[in-house]
Amino acid sequence: MATLADITVSGAINVLSAFIFLLAFAILRLQPLNDRVYFPKWYLKGVRGSPLRSGALVRRVVNLDFRSYIRFLNWMPEALKMPEPELVDHAGLDYAVYLRIYLMGLKIFVPLTFLALAILVPVNYTNNALEAVKMVANVTASDIDKLSISNIPLKSQRFWTHIVMAYAFTFWTCYVLLREYEIVASMRLQFLSLERRRLDQFTVLVRNVPPDPDETVSELLEHFFLVNHPDHYLTHQVVCNANKLASLVKKKKKRQNWLDYYQLKYSRTQSRRPQMKTGFLGHFGGKVDAIDHHISEIEELSQEIEEERTRVLKDPKSIMPAAFVSFKTRWGAAVCAQTQQSRNPTLWLTEWAPEPRDIYWKNLAIPYMSLKVRRLIIGVAFLLLTFFFIIPIASVQALASIEGIEKRAPFLKSVIEIKFIKSVIQGFLPGIVLKLFLIFLPTILMIMSKFEGFISLSSLERRSATRNSIFLIINVFLGSILTGAAFEQLNSFIKQSANEIPKTIGVAVPMKATFFITYIMVDGWAGIAGEVLMLKPLIFYHLKNFLLVKTEKDREEAMDPGSLGFNTGEPRIQLYFLLGLVYATVTPVLLPFIIIFFAFAFAVFRHQIINVYNQEYESGAAFWPDVHGRVITALVISQLALMGLMSTKEAAQSTPFLIALPVLTIWFHMFCNGRHKSAFVKYPLQEAMMKDTLERARDPNFNLKAYLQSAYVHPVFKVDDDDIDEDDLLSGKMETESVLVPTKRQSRRNTPAPSKISGGSSPSLPETVKNGEP
């Protein structure tokens, strides 16, 4: 168990690491060579020029202005200067609202910290229960534990202080959650009303279109919407299975990058042409001319791409029973997206279409009816992953302790008993081991989400974030507490009577606060400082710049700023919410570490959002109900944990008072969702009509059909390639404007008017009448 000295050593290591990261960042960001790495967003917006194009040669490489090095922390106040409305315009609503999660953490925990330190810490410290327990059972405790609820004796009247503070903490947290829900909902509605024309506001994704022997999917879609939405239907784009084609295009691009690399290499040293091996990983097989080999491969891939494109356009089996249907007005799209289209609730399923850049096209080829099975499989797989993962985590953490190392490597006993080494192992090693163990978790969870079939990047990230949060609650929080209590107190359990075990657990659980303090310093202090350094993007940019870049366009592609990563960042924040709420009444000394994390992370990520991260999509802060729900979950867990702890303290009279807390919290959550959640899942018809009316008045001649016509065409058909004929794309099997043909289907005969899409006559009339004959 970490002592106060161990935590001091861990704090010193992490503060020093954070300072080194910030100092390195301050120096590297000032160098002209790294300008595109640390300010890529401004380059993408076209408002920042490269410092490498002017000035003396030395000044193009190294910043010689020594005054700028003195102000190495000026990026923090600069990041805080931009007002929130300007931030929304600059980075999007998603990123602006994401930052509000950190602000919400500060709003919740700053008052809680002052109250807890002023009231609960003196109440806890002025007792000696831990000293009494040590005499009865071999229970270890540190100086920090004396500041926790563990130091209060059984049946003490002082527990009423913790109960009253639990109510105060709950009411304050709920008040902040309600205010933030109201603010974010208002920001979303204002954003949608003021935002310029958006493709997804006019478009609906239709899935599970029923098969018809007489008509193609395209014809069936047009007829259905001309009949059921005659005044608002505009156009549609059927969904095709172009996954193989996309794979070939990606493979060709990869080969082209290698060809560029070898050509650039040859241009620098023309004494000999570059050679390569064609075997496994380029280390086996016979040698060939690298440039000629890649040119030959690219030509073969180009032929395969053309053949596959032709197959996709002409093969009916490549057309999926789904389409993006666009409407003349937002009002028409809202009615379609938010209503049932057929008496059979499993057919003609509609939902709001994601914006084109948000679509994960690969999953659109998954049959809709298989999604339930896929999600069941992943649900079981995630359950197994979560509960089996706790075994290696517990084992590794046990090994990352003094006892574990001495048992596995007894020859190191003399070394690890040195005071400083012992402090490093107990105060730093467990946190860093847990951090390293969780590195691959987000990738695994994202793969699972993709297998489930979600069709947008935003929904993939939200699903992955939900699973990540559950995993952290079970494995990092509950797993660390339970395994820690079990392993540390095992000898005590064996030697005492059965009725004493719950009391020992009640004392041991708060003691795990020392581990979480070290984890917060590793992950929330040094980890956040490492985020702003961006060491990996820096190395990759310079490698690409040296090996591949030939033109300015190549340099822009090498400058990959990446995105925020909601699926990794938000679950981390929720873990800190959970730790703060649970330990606010149990071990309040943990709260200042939480506050430092929220404040530091807010400054760092605000800087990154303003200068670095490129927005992949804009969901209009659709993730906020998930954020709200997870904070509520953390609050309920904290209340249940306090109830369990009080039961071990023989404070039975407190149980009726504590039971009311989770009940009231769940009721509050239902109230908030009932009041505000609809703003995040539905588009009010009143707002849609108002927006449509204003737009018609301002721009009555706008060609909406041309604006929407190819917006939802698969990106693989939009690549800049001379071989692609857009006329072929917008006609035939993937046509946006279908040519209506005579049919025997009853619904086709009942089309009320000539098709305004194809310009043909009314299909219900005989051919002789169409031609003007009697």
Side-chain angles (χ1 to χ4, degrees), residues 191-372:
F191 175 78
L192 294 177
S193 64
L194 297 179
E195 176 74 337
R196 64 187 185 278
R197 188 181 289 108
R198 287 167 54 100
L199 295 163
D200 52 309
Q201 291 180 340
F202 296 89
T203 307
V204 172
L205 174 61
V206 182
R207 308 182 79 176
N208 216 27
V209 177
D212 189 279
D214 301 316
E215 294 186 322
T216 64
V217 173
S218 181
E219 292 167 346
L220 184 60
L221 278 158
E222 184 174 28
H223 300 162
F224 180 86
F225 283 97
L226 281 174
V227 170
N228 296 287
H229 299 268
D231 299 326
H232 299 281
Y233 168 69
L234 180 62
T235 184
H236 71 271
Q237 175 63 54
V238 295
V239 174
C240 68
N241 184 354
N243 289 346
K244 184 178 178 182
L245 179 58
S247 177
L248 290 172
V249 171
K250 184 178 179 181
K251 189 176 180 181
K252 178 183 175 182
K253 185 176 181 181
K254 185 178 179 181
R255 295 289 186 272
Q256 185 64 49
N257 286 339
W258 277 110
L259 177 60
D260 293 341
Y261 163 71
Y262 284 117
Q263 287 178 335
L264 186 61
K265 183 178 179 181
Y266 180 60
S267 67
R268 290 172 176 171
T269 56
Q270 296 189 358
S271 57
R272 53 175 298 188
R273 289 176 68 85
Q275 303 287 309
M276 65 170 289
K277 293 183 178 181
T278 59
F280 181 68
L281 296 177
H283 296 291
F284 302 94
K287 283 188 176 183
V288 296
D289 184 284
I291 295 177
D292 293 340
H293 175 74
H294 282 96
I295 289 176
S296 175
E297 281 200 333
I298 289 172
E299 290 176 352
E300 291 177 5
L301 285 171
S302 297
Q303 185 176 355
E304 287 184 47
I305 288 171
E306 184 59 35
E307 292 173 356
E308 179 63 19
R309 183 187 302 119
T310 303
R311 187 196 68 79
V312 170
L313 293 174
K314 295 183 178 180
D315 185 4
K317 293 181 180 180
S318 66
I319 304 301
M320 305 303 296
F324 293 99
V325 179
S326 298
F327 293 82
K328 300 174 183 176
T329 61
R330 294 175 181 83
W331 191 91
V335 169
C336 181
Q338 297 166 184
T339 56
Q340 183 174 314
Q341 302 301 308
S342 168
R343 65 175 63 183
N344 186 342
T346 64
L347 300 177
W348 297 102
L349 303 175
T350 57
E351 60 184 282
W352 281 108
E355 58 176 349
R357 61 177 174 166
D358 188 21
I359 297 173
Y360 185 65
W361 293 92
K362 186 176 181 179
N363 279 359
L364 282 172
I366 299 175
Y368 182 82
M369 298 308 293
S370 68
L371 295 181
K372 298 285 186 183

Side-chain angles (χ1 to χ4, degrees), residues 597-617:
F597 161 75
F598 277 112
F600 186 36
F602 175 74
V604 166
F605 281 102
R606 208 171 200 271
H607 171 273
Q608 297 295 87
I609 284 172
I610 292 173
N611 297 297
V612 180
Y613 295 138
N614 187 34
Q615 193 179 21
E616 282 189 324
Y617 58 83

Side-chain angles (χ1 to χ4, degrees), residues 122 143 148 169 186 207 216 248 404 444 461 480 517 523 571 591 676 688 694 732:
D143 294 333
S148 73
F169 294 168
S186 176
R207 308 182 79 176
T216 64
L248 290 172
I444 296 171
E461 290 200 339
S480 296
I517 289 174
D523 179 69
L591 292 177
H676 298 294
L694 288 174

Side-chain angles (χ1 to χ4, degrees), residues 480-742:
S480 296
I481 285 180
L482 296 178
T483 56
F487 282 100
E488 291 173 13
Q489 311 301 335
L490 183 59
N491 291 332
S492 179
F493 288 166
I494 295 174
K495 296 177 182 179
Q496 62 182 270
S497 59
N499 61 347
E500 293 294 320
I501 292 177
K503 299 177 185 178
T504 306
I505 294 178
V507 174
V509 169
M511 293 179 186
K512 204 60 181 178
T514 55
F515 164 75
F516 287 119
I517 289 174
T518 62
Y519 180 78
I520 291 169
M521 289 189 290
V522 170
D523 179 69
W525 295 8
I528 294 297
E531 174 73 28
V532 77
L533 181 58
M534 295 180 61
L535 190 59
K536 180 181 173 182
L538 178 68
I539 294 172
F540 273 84
Y541 169 75
H542 285 298
L543 285 176
K544 291 179 181 178
N545 195 33
F546 178 74
L547 298 175
L548 298 176
V549 170
K550 292 190 296 184
T551 64
E552 195 65 24
K553 184 179 180 181
D554 294 336
R555 186 169 286 107
E556 288 182 5
E557 291 180 356
M559 179 186 64
D560 181 17
S563 61
L564 183 62
F566 179 81
N567 61 311
T568 57
E570 196 268 347
R572 171 202 273 176
I573 304 173
Q574 294 300 335
L575 177 62
Y576 290 111
F577 272 110
L578 177 63
L579 294 177
L581 292 171
V582 167
Y583 282 99
T585 53
V586 175
T587 309
V589 74
L590 180 139
L591 292 177
F593 297 89
I594 297 283
I595 290 177
I596 293 173
F597 161 75
F598 277 112
F600 186 36
F602 175 74
V604 166
F605 281 102
R606 208 171 200 271
H607 171 273
Q608 297 295 87
I609 284 172
I610 292 173
N611 297 297
V612 180
Y613 295 138
N614 187 34
Q615 193 179 21
E616 282 189 324
Y617 58 83
E618 176 60 70
S619 70
F623 56 81
W624 191 260
D626 296 335
V627 173
H628 176 90
R630 284 194 272 275
V631 177
I632 290 290
T633 300
L635 189 57
V636 171
I637 290 174
S638 70
Q639 295 159 355
L640 296 177
L642 183 62
M643 288 174 60
L645 184 58
M646 287 297 184
S647 67
T648 66
K649 293 291 189 177
E650 297 184 6
Q653 69 274 19
S654 67
T655 303
F657 295 94
L658 290 176
I659 286 177
L661 278 178
V663 174
L664 290 174
T665 304
I666 293 172
W667 172 85
F668 168 78
H669 176 56
M670 295 171 64
F671 166 77
C672 287
N673 277 342
R675 176 69 179 83
H676 298 294
K677 188 175 182 179
S678 61
F680 295 87
V681 294
K682 296 179 181 178
Y683 190 28
L685 294 180
Q686 182 184 23
E687 294 285 333
M689 181 61 75
M690 186 185 308
K691 184 84 172 176
D692 289 333
T693 304
L694 288 174
E695 203 164 81
R696 281 195 297 268
R698 291 173 181 171
D699 195 1
N701 298 320
F702 180 76
N703 189 349
L704 186 62
K705 181 179 173 183
Y707 175 68
L708 295 168
Q709 185 162 339
S710 60
Y712 284 91
V713 173
H714 197 296
V716 77
F717 294 101
K718 292 183 176 181
V719 294
D720 187 14
D721 193 314
D722 295 335
D723 296 334
I724 296 177
D725 187 353
E726 291 212 8
D727 292 334
D728 291 341
L729 177 61
L730 297 177
S731 62
K733 296 297 181 183
M734 294 195 53
E735 59 195 355
T736 301
E737 299 188 27
S738 305
V739 178
L740 299 184
V741 296

Side-chain angles (χ1 to χ4, degrees), residues 88-236:
V88 173
D89 292 336
H90 174 71
L93 184 65
D94 279 345
Y95 282 2
V97 170
Y98 180 84
L99 288 173
R100 291 198 69 90
I101 306 177
Y102 294 105
L103 278 180
M104 184 172 69
L106 292 173
K107 290 178 182 178
I108 290 175
F109 288 113
V110 169
L112 262 60
T113 301
F114 281 111
L115 279 175
L117 295 181
I119 299 175
L120 291 181
V121 168
V123 170
N124 295 335
Y125 186 72
T126 54
N127 284 277
N128 58 355
L130 286 176
E131 296 298 330
V133 172
K134 285 181 181 180
M135 298 178 184
V136 178
N138 183 27
V139 175
T140 58
S142 67
D143 294 333
I144 289 180
D145 296 320
K146 295 178 181 178
L147 304 176
S148 73
I149 198 173
S150 300
N151 201 34
I152 297 182
L154 304 178
K155 300 182 180 180
S156 174
Q157 293 298 314
R158 296 194 178 196
F159 287 125
W160 287 107
T161 306
H162 298 81
I163 295 171
V164 172
M165 294 305 294
Y167 269 90
F169 294 168
T170 297
F171 289 156
W172 175 251
T173 302
C174 290
Y175 170 74
V176 174
L177 283 172
L178 178 61
R179 287 290 301 144
E180 288 299 312
Y181 218 148
E182 291 174 348
I183 292 171
V184 175
S186 176
M187 289 176 66
R188 174 180 167 84
L189 292 176
Q190 184 179 13
F191 175 78
L192 294 177
S193 64
L194 297 179
E195 176 74 337
R196 64 187 185 278
R197 188 181 289 108
R198 287 167 54 100
L199 295 163
D200 52 309
Q201 291 180 340
F202 296 89
T203 307
V204 172
L205 174 61
V206 182
R207 308 182 79 176
N208 216 27
V209 177
D212 189 279
D214 301 316
E215 294 186 322
T216 64
V217 173
S218 181
E219 292 167 346
L220 184 60
L221 278 158
E222 184 174 28
H223 300 162
F224 180 86
F225 283 97
L226 281 174
V227 170
N228 296 287
H229 299 268
D231 299 326
H232 299 281
Y233 168 69
L234 180 62
T235 184
H236 71 271

Side-chain angles (χ1 to χ4, degrees), residues 436-496:
L436 293 173
F437 224 78
L438 298 174
I439 285 179
F440 299 105
L441 177 65
T443 303
I444 296 171
L445 296 179
M446 180 57 74
I447 292 171
M448 290 176 132
S449 299
K450 290 178 179 178
F451 182 81
E452 285 184 285
F454 291 97
I455 60 157
S456 65
L457 298 176
S458 56
S459 58
L460 283 170
E461 290 200 339
R462 290 201 298 271
R463 183 67 160 193
S464 181
T466 299
R467 291 237 163 91
N468 202 341
S469 297
I470 296 172
F471 187 94
L472 293 178
I473 290 173
I474 294 175
N475 283 281
V476 175
F477 177 69
L478 295 177
S480 296
I481 285 180
L482 296 178
T483 56
F487 282 100
E488 291 173 13
Q489 311 301 335
L490 183 59
N491 291 332
S492 179
F493 288 166
I494 295 174
K495 296 177 182 179
Q496 62 182 270

